[in-house]
Amino acid sequence: LSYVTMAKKYLNTEIIEKNDGNQVYHLEANNYMYLGKFDEAINSFIYYSKTLKKEDVDIYNNIAICYHQIKDDEKAKEYFRKAAKLGDEMAKKELKKLEQSKN
């Protein structure tokens, strides 16, 4: 069973329905990230981000971190830029580090 299927089966369905079930994808993405399954985490974070009504700095930062872990620094910079554009200081610092490491 996938994490989403298990979560829908075992978690309080009232909570899932209240959040349109989308929060489950955020939990799934975090779990993949912490397990080192960065490609799966990226896919889940991106899916979850598309369900949100507004941009989320934490989601952008997590996607960037995952891309950095799989050595795709161009994509990491893309997502750090999105978070930085929303005013996130950590993203600005990480973006600067990545840009300097290429020089």
Side-chain angles (χ1 to χ4, degrees), residues 7-99:
K8 287 180 179 176
K9 184 175 180 181
Y10 296 110
L11 291 176
N12 182 337
T13 54
E14 187 176 309
I15 293 170
I16 292 171
E17 289 169 6
K18 183 178 174 184
N19 292 302
D20 297 324
N22 296 327
Q23 191 66 26
V24 174
Y25 293 98
H26 188 222
L27 295 170
E28 175 185 61
N30 281 323
N31 284 334
Y32 280 138
M33 186 174 172
Y34 294 121
L35 290 171
K37 295 183 175 187
F38 299 110
D39 289 319
E40 291 93 336
I42 291 165
N43 291 334
S44 293
F45 279 127
I46 290 172
Y47 179 85
Y48 176 65
S49 72
K50 290 177 182 178
T51 69
L52 300 175
K53 292 181 178 157
K54 63 180 188 169
E55 295 177 292
D56 187 305
V57 169
D58 293 330
I59 299 300
Y60 288 153
N61 281 328
N62 286 339
I63 294 170
I65 291 165
C66 289
Y67 274 121
H68 179 65
Q69 290 297 317
I70 61 171
K71 310 286 189 239
D72 189 343
D73 287 342
E74 291 307 310
K75 291 296 274 186
K77 287 190 278 189
E78 175 186 333
Y79 281 91
F80 278 135
R81 276 189 200 98
K82 289 181 179 195
K85 187 176 179 181
L86 296 174
D88 188 71
E89 292 302 317
M90 193 266 320
K92 291 176 185 177
K93 290 177 187 174
E94 293 302 318
L95 181 58
K96 188 175 181 179
K97 282 186 208 174
L98 284 176
E99 288 175 339

